């Protein structure tokens, strides 16, 4: 009998996490939440000195692992019943490519999701603009945002891994607490 109690104590957190994740995915499907993702794996840190927006050859880009992660994200979204989300992405190529490799529909570049890694003093203002912009969007299809570590950390205080997603309740708020953290598939 004691072994059963110990087993229950060990397994209980797993059932709780699964229930929380199920509820979070449901909130996303119903438009009561969004998913904010860090772009998939793109080796390196920051941007090269010759970085130019719109010129992928000057930027860090997804590697084969990152492209596979993005495809698996698309498959995961489909398994969760999210077929045609609104896909908003940073204008950086690694974020746009993450969103497009999901193959879930058209991707809309969204400047409020752009990295401010090179200009950290812009972080507070850009985060406030992201919150305002997202909260002004009309209700509709589930919302998938692809951005960068620095942006996600500024909004949530969480340092996400490459390809990790956070399901956040709407309306979006500063220091948003995730309903669920979804590791890169």
């Amino acid at each position: 009998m004691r072994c059963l109690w110990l087993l229950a104590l060990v397994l209980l957190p797993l059932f709780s996490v699964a229930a929380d994740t199920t509820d979070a995915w449901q909130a996303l499907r119903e438009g009561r939440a969004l998913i904010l993702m860090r772009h998939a794996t793109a080796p390196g840190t920051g941007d090269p000195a010759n970085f130019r927006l719109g010129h992928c050859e000057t930027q860090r880009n997804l590697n084969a692992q990152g492209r596979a992660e993005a495809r698996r994200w698309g498959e995961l979204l489909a398994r969760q019943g999210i077929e045609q989300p609104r896909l908003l992405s940073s204008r950086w190529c690694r974020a746009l490519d993450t969103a497009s490799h999901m193959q879930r529909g058209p991707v809309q570049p969204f400047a409020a999701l752009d990295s401010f890694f090179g200009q950290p003093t812009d972080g507070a203002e850009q985060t406030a603009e992201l919150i305002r912009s997202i909260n002004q969007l009309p209700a509709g299809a589930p919302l998938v945002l692809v951005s960068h570590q620095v942006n996600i950390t500024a909004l949530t205080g969480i340092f996400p891994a490459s390809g990790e997603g956070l399901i956040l309740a709407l309306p979006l708020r500063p220091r948003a607490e995730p309903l669920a953290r979804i590791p890169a598939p």
Side-chain angles (χ1 to χ4, degrees):
M1 187 63 136
R2 185 175 184 177
C3 289
L4 286 177
W5 274 106
L6 288 174
L7 182 60
L9 287 174
V10 169
L11 294 178
L12 186 58
L14 297 176
F15 291 115
S16 176
V17 168
D20 290 345
T21 301
T22 299
D23 292 344
W25 283 111
Q26 185 63 32
L28 179 63
R29 282 188 292 277
E30 293 173 357
R32 296 181 290 114
L34 60 78
I35 189 161
L36 175 60
M37 295 176 49
R38 181 177 178 187
H39 61 77
T41 300
T45 303
D47 289 299
N50 65 338
F51 170 88
R52 288 192 335 242
L53 196 59
H55 296 271
C56 295
E57 70 278 4
T58 69
Q59 300 180 33
R60 278 180 37 229
N61 293 292
L62 300 182
N63 62 7
Q65 177 184 340
R67 289 186 295 276
E69 287 168 0
R71 280 190 301 277
R72 288 191 304 268
W73 259 110
E75 294 163 2
L76 175 59
L77 290 171
R79 284 193 310 273
Q80 291 296 330
I82 300 167
E83 291 294 333
Q84 292 291 317
R86 290 179 289 175
L87 282 166
L88 305 181
S89 173
S90 158
R91 296 176 295 166
W92 271 230
C93 293
R94 59 189 173 269
L96 288 166
D97 289 346
T98 297
S100 66
H101 278 72
M102 288 183 207
Q103 299 179 345
R104 294 288 101 204
V107 178
Q108 179 181 348
F110 198 69
L113 293 168
D114 289 352
S115 176
F116 51 80
F117 181 83
Q119 298 173 317
T121 56
D122 294 347
E125 183 178 326
Q126 190 171 326
T127 301
E129 176 58 29
L130 174 65
I131 292 168
R132 274 192 303 279
S133 297
I134 293 302
N135 289 341
Q136 290 174 355
L137 290 174
L143 187 56
V144 176
L145 310 178
V146 182
S147 192
H148 305 268
Q149 172 272 311
V150 67
N151 303 66
I152 297 168
T153 302
L155 178 64
T156 66
I158 294 170
F159 192 107
S162 292
E164 183 177 359
L166 305 174
I167 299 178
L168 305 173
L170 289 169
L172 201 52
R173 301 192 187 291
R175 288 295 178 202
E177 292 271 337
L179 301 174
R181 288 181 75 166
I182 312 298

